[in-house]
Amino acid sequence: MSETWIRGGTVFGVGGLKKADLVVTEVGAHTPNEGVNPPATAAVIDARGLYVGPAFVDLHTHSRIPGKDGSESPESLSRAAIKGGYGSVVAMANTDPPVDHVAILEQTKKRFDGLPIQVIQGASVTIGRQGERLVDMVALKEHGAVFFSDDGDVIASARVMRRALEYSRDLNVLVAEHAQDSELALGGVMNEGEISYLLGVQGIGEDAESIVVARDLELNRKIRGNLHLMHLSALGSLDLLKYAKASGIPFSSEVTPHHLLISDSELATFDPNYKVNPPLRSKDTRMALRSALREGLIDAVATDHAPHAKHLKERSIKEAPFGLIGLQSAFAATFTAMMQDVSFGEEEEDSIDTVISLIFRTMSIRPREILQKVTQSEMLPNSYVVLDPTLEVSQRESDIASLSKNSPYIDRKMHGQVVSLVLGGKVVLENCELQGEGA
Ligand SMILES: [Zn+2]
């Protein structure tokens, strides 16, 4: 059996961070007995001065497969995920055509066969993502679908959402909402606020999100389904989450790295790579999102990785599609954002430890728990990531593994590098270079 030794790192585990060696095999991981050295056949990763923890899991990836625009391929998606430290991603169903019945689910899953990463293929909630008739959730669940979402669009009808939540409870699957009132958001390009007024660009207010969050939480008060609220970006949503928690209404939620790191002031450059839905918000909202993540009000960081072909993103800010790529840069963006709030100096090392623990909690542990509740099986017990938080990084377009290059992080100074990744006991990334099956 192949095994990989990760030696000399600071390992994130049940008791927090501690210095340890780790042996990762095809079936799991353990600490070696004192004084035992790796066998000659083992791969060895030197993790001295680095942090080690469970591989990241992304609850929100747009694979674009199936699709006709060539913005991503299974292989490019896998390489981008591996460079980002991810062992598993949930693929959204807003593909072309959408994943809304068993045959297309089965065909799509086959496209990801044989990749080193795990792709959990999502299904849409309604047929054709039209918001009217529910897909056959029973049949799709029988074929392995556990994550249902019309993401890209809201489920506009409260009646349809109510039925979907009932099924999510009875079938034990997730229903994930892109909370955004489509009438309020109509024609909007960026956050509605000071900057949009200044630029004379039509905005999307935070209320477009929070009124749908309120509706969904209220619907779930009695139904108690598996409601997951995606890419939250509004102060009102956070107040509602607090209220729901106090009232015992079940839900889980996520925030993106870009909503934590950057704000709507970047849109002043009219660079379409900052055009994303929900839009980048004000600095105040950004600070509140960081606090909500730190306090555990928001469960997870999810990328909303959204590749777009170059010719589409090169249009004007008004015409360009929403979305940016995020798998490869998620750790650096999140780490940089969360470090901005801590004071540097003597306590710097403590601060790094705190933020790294938060990263593992929100990018590895909570996403796994949310998915394991519905898959009822342990995820990736044999997959670990090695991180260097202190390394200054500045992404170059030529480093991007995704077929699409619509990244707001190109040439932006950030801190944090994914150094190595072990998936299924095998090294797929070492010293930032793709290895073996990962290449
Ligand atoms: Zn969305």
Side-chain angles (χ1 to χ4, degrees):
M1 193 157 72
S2 69
E3 59 181 49
T4 300
W5 287 52
I6 305 176
R7 305 192 83 182
T10 301
V11 180
F12 178 86
V14 187
L17 293 168
K18 70 167 188 245
K19 286 239 172 358
D21 289 356
L22 206 59
V23 182
V24 191
T25 68
E26 281 161 39
V27 294
H30 61 271
T31 341
N33 290 330
E34 197 111 14
V36 176
N37 284 315
T41 52
V44 178
I45 288 175
D46 181 2
R48 280 173 297 174
L50 306 176
Y51 289 85
V52 182
F56 298 147
V57 170
D58 190 28
L59 293 169
H60 198 146
T61 288
H62 293 276
S63 69
R64 307 295 190 216
I65 294 155
K68 300 177 189 79
D69 66 356
S71 60
E72 202 72 283
S73 71
E75 293 73 24
S76 67
L77 179 78
S78 173
R79 286 192 286 263
I82 288 171
K83 284 195 152 195
Y86 285 92
S88 180
V89 303
V90 178
M92 294 299 117
N94 65 334
T95 47
D96 181 16
V99 181
D100 63 357
H101 59 276
V102 166
I104 187 99
L105 173 72
E106 287 298 340
Q107 283 166 27
T108 308
K109 284 202 293 193
K110 279 205 187 85
R111 300 281 303 276
F112 301 114
D113 274 354
L115 293 178
I117 62 159
Q118 176 187 44
V119 178
I120 299 174
Q121 180 57 53
S124 63
V125 172
T126 65
I127 293 169
R129 295 177 56 257
Q130 296 293 305
E132 286 154 18
R133 286 182 303 139
L134 286 184
V135 296
D136 188 343
M137 289 174 76
V138 176
L140 285 157
K141 161 85 198 257
E142 277 168 9
H143 287 260
V146 292
F147 192 102
F148 290 81
S149 181
D150 274 4
D151 184 54
D153 289 301
V154 68
I155 297 164
S157 157
R159 180 181 52 83
V160 171
M161 187 58 178
R162 195 175 200 269
R163 291 287 290 149
L165 285 171
E166 284 168 353
Y167 273 105
S168 81
R169 175 197 61 206
D170 297 346
L171 298 174
N172 190 31
V173 295
L174 285 154
V175 166
E177 175 78 290
H178 170 120
Q180 186 173 60
D181 184 277
S182 42
E183 285 178 11
L184 281 184
L186 192 68
V189 168
M190 63 176 293
N191 180 44
E192 180 183 76
E194 246 172 78
I195 312 273
S196 69
Y197 301 141
L198 212 68
L199 299 175
V201 172
Q202 193 172 335
I204 301 172
E206 292 192 5
D207 52 359
E209 174 181 301
S210 53
I211 61 169
V212 177
V213 169
R215 183 201 71 178
D216 288 355
L217 289 168
E218 249 344 280
L219 287 174
N220 212 29
R221 179 186 292 272
K222 274 233 174 73
I223 294 170
R224 308 191 72 73
N226 295 308
L227 169 66
H228 180 69
L229 297 163
M230 308 173 98
H231 45 50
L232 292 177
S233 71
L235 292 176
S237 303
L238 302 180
D239 284 343
L240 289 160
L241 296 194
K242 277 181 211 151
Y243 176 72
K245 271 215 162 142
S247 307
I249 298 169
F251 69 91
S252 56
S253 65
E254 62 180 46
V255 63
T256 72
H258 47 275
H259 285 105
L260 295 169
L261 182 67
I262 39 192
S263 69
D264 58 354
S265 57
E266 306 275 359
L267 266 295
T269 61
F270 289 99
D271 180 349
N273 284 337
Y274 293 102
K275 181 179 176 184
V276 63
N277 196 16
L280 299 171
R281 300 297 190 183
S282 69
K283 289 181 174 148
D284 287 347
T285 299
R286 185 181 62 178
M287 295 303 278
L289 291 168
R290 289 178 187 170
S291 300
L293 186 71
R294 215 179 286 118
E295 291 157 10
L297 186 62
I298 293 178
D299 295 285
V301 173
T303 67
D304 198 1
H305 176 81
H308 285 294
K310 202 158 194 151
H311 68 278
L312 294 175
K313 261 305 203 189
E314 274 173 353
R315 291 180 184 167
S316 73
I317 191 96
K318 228 177 140 181
E319 289 161 338
F322 290 103
L324 50 87
I325 54 169
L327 279 169
Q328 202 175 326
S329 46
F331 167 58
T334 308
F335 182 75
T336 304
M338 299 314 288
M339 282 301 284
Q340 278 174 4
D341 290 353
V342 299
S343 52
F344 284 85
E346 279 172 30
E347 297 100 34
E348 188 171 342
E349 204 173 315
D350 287 350
S351 306
I352 291 176
D353 280 5
T354 308
V355 174
I356 286 290
S357 298
L358 178 70
I359 295 264
F360 281 125
R361 232 176 22 248
T362 58
M363 292 176 67
S364 301
I365 306 300
R366 282 300 291 143
R368 273 180 171 72
E369 288 171 351
I370 289 165
L371 291 169
Q372 283 170 176
K373 180 171 188 277
V374 291
T375 60
Q376 310 236 293
S377 61
E378 194 187 357
M379 280 181 77
L380 308 177
N382 49 13
S383 300
Y384 281 80
V385 64
V386 181
L387 306 172
D388 183 348
T390 55
L391 207 66
E392 188 177 281
V393 291
S394 172
Q395 192 174 51
R396 283 172 303 173
E397 192 172 314
S398 57
D399 295 334
I400 294 176
S402 175
L403 288 186
S404 297
K405 314 295 177 191
N406 52 310
S407 166
Y409 306 114
I410 294 170
D411 294 333
R412 175 186 294 271
K413 279 204 173 82
M414 301 194 287
H415 279 90
Q417 178 73 51
V418 176
V419 180
S420 299
L421 182 67
V422 178
L423 293 185
K426 292 185 190 138
V427 182
V428 291
L429 184 80
E430 189 173 10
N431 291 325
C432 311
E433 299 289 335
L434 296 166
Q435 305 287 329
E437 290 174 15

